[in-house]
Amino acid sequence: MKKNKLLKVVAVIGAGVLGVSMFAGCAGSAAPQGTNDAPTTQTPPQGDNKYIVMGTNAEFEPFEYREGSEIVGFDVEISKAIAAKAGKELKIEDMEFGTLIVGLNNKQMDFIAAGMSVTEDRKTQVDFSEPYFTSKQMIIVKSDDGSIQTADDLVGKKVGVQLGTTGDLFVSGTDGVEVIQFDKAPLAVMELKNGKVDAVVIDAEPAKRLVEGQDDIKVLDVPFTEEEYAIAVRKGDTELLNLINSVIAELKENGEYDRIFKQFFDVEE
Ligand code: ARG
């Protein structure tokens, strides 16, 4: 990581809603609902008997977000398939993105499914599954701001990011950028609209959702940093990792991956 002499302001807003947990129903047809006896041929991964716990930060549409009291999204669907394969019910722990890896290693969850990009640094702390999605970091600006056209133009500007994300790492590693960290990306976008930050750096799909239907902000057409999302397990938890990899492969093979993709992405565009 590059050295930098940045002025960092940590905006801890809305922390009150963190640490919420909820139960999601079991996966569709493959769910072992109503069966208390899990098939003996399947060795359940660690965690307590009934549940397998997905850790996430549900502020990342369309991967994980709230619809009423429910947490839904692309990652939730994949996690339901993992739970079904493990013969367990899925429980979701919703917490600050930056605390997920610590939470995983403290056994607050069995795996992280949070649009989490594989990075060298994270690889020293967790084991990643095969990647299941390719993404990029994008820049959101005010529609009438001509001064930011590329990532280089962020120098000298105030840039909002979600704390602990790869967008945060990227911008924090760039000299001369004033980074403002938020615990939720939507708050960064609100501050952009209010003129408190000049730009927001965030993953492509959530960026699109955050500007949808709003004329005063737009996503710049200049992606940078290609990244891959993968599911994280504790280091050495090979049994669960193998199970997750087999689920990802099966979903791709049997067409379920495409179905889930169509459910959450605007494939026409
Ligand atoms: N892909 C980025 C990263 O790994 C951002 C992920 C944010 N995910 C979320 N559920 N809030 O750092």
Side-chain angles (χ1 to χ4, degrees):
M1 197 63 31
K2 273 188 266 174
K3 289 249 161 58
N4 67 80
K5 324 167 202 65
L6 289 179
L7 171 60
K8 282 199 192 175
V9 185
V10 181
V12 183
I13 305 168
V17 259
L18 298 170
V20 181
S21 69
M22 65 167 290
F23 292 85
C26 235
S29 52
Q33 254 158 17
T35 355
N36 288 331
D37 303 320
T40 43
T41 45
Q42 276 173 333
T43 321
Q46 54 205 36
D48 66 26
N49 316 325
K50 199 170 166 205
Y51 298 105
I52 187 161
V53 185
M54 157 195 182
T56 199
N57 168 253
E59 297 285 342
F60 204 63
E61 195 179 341
F63 295 94
E64 42 269 335
Y65 57 102
R66 282 177 186 270
E67 236 171 43
S69 61
E70 230 194 317
I71 295 175
V72 296
F74 190 85
D75 290 341
V76 177
E77 292 303 309
I78 292 184
S79 299
K80 282 182 184 172
I82 293 169
K85 178 94 176 181
K88 297 199 173 194
E89 275 184 53
L90 183 66
K91 184 183 174 190
I92 304 180
E93 282 290 339
D94 183 17
M95 57 177 71
E96 228 177 283
F97 185 79
T99 62
L100 282 170
I101 289 186
V102 172
L104 175 70
N105 287 326
N106 284 341
K107 306 202 170 167
Q108 280 171 265
M109 62 197 77
D110 296 296
F111 63 90
I112 302 171
M116 181 173 273
S117 306
V118 176
T119 68
E120 288 309 313
D121 182 52
R122 288 176 184 161
K123 275 203 237 167
T124 66
Q125 305 168 66
V126 297
D127 284 345
F128 280 110
S129 70
E130 291 300 322
Y132 65 90
F133 199 91
T134 303
S135 181
K136 304 174 175 77
Q137 294 297 312
M138 303 292 280
I139 303 168
I140 308 176
V141 293
K142 279 261 180 78
S143 303
D144 59 4
D145 182 355
S147 71
I148 304 174
Q149 314 269 355
T150 71
D152 293 342
D153 300 329
L154 295 177
V155 173
K157 303 280 186 185
K158 282 193 188 122
V159 181
V161 294
Q162 189 185 9
L163 181 67
T165 60
T166 43
D168 182 9
L169 292 177
F170 179 85
V171 181
S172 296
T174 310
D175 277 347
V177 180
E178 185 179 340
V179 186
I180 321 241
Q181 298 163 316
F182 295 86
D183 62 9
K184 296 166 187 224
L187 292 175
V189 170
M190 242 174 57
E191 294 302 78
L192 174 66
K193 289 165 80 79
N194 293 336
K196 302 265 168 55
V197 299
D198 304 308
V200 173
V201 172
I202 184 173
D203 302 48
E205 281 303 324
K208 264 199 234 164
R209 304 302 162 108
L210 287 164
V211 305
E212 221 161 53
Q214 301 180 68
D215 294 338
D216 57 335
I217 53 172
K218 63 174 181 195
V219 182
L220 285 183
D221 210 13
V222 283
F224 54 102
T225 68
E226 191 158 293
E227 302 176 357
E228 292 200 294
Y229 295 171
I231 293 173
V233 299
R234 277 184 290 281
K235 279 212 153 292
D237 195 352
T238 336
E239 192 181 347
L240 181 55
L241 192 65
N242 290 342
L243 183 140
I244 290 173
N245 280 333
S246 72
V247 168
I248 293 173
E250 277 164 28
L251 292 177
K252 286 189 175 163
E253 261 162 48
N254 67 16
E256 262 297 284
Y257 185 95
D258 290 340
R259 188 197 62 74
I260 300 171
F261 191 89
K262 286 196 193 104
Q263 186 184 343
F264 291 100
F265 294 87
D266 193 357
V267 279
E268 246 96 71
E269 274 186 344

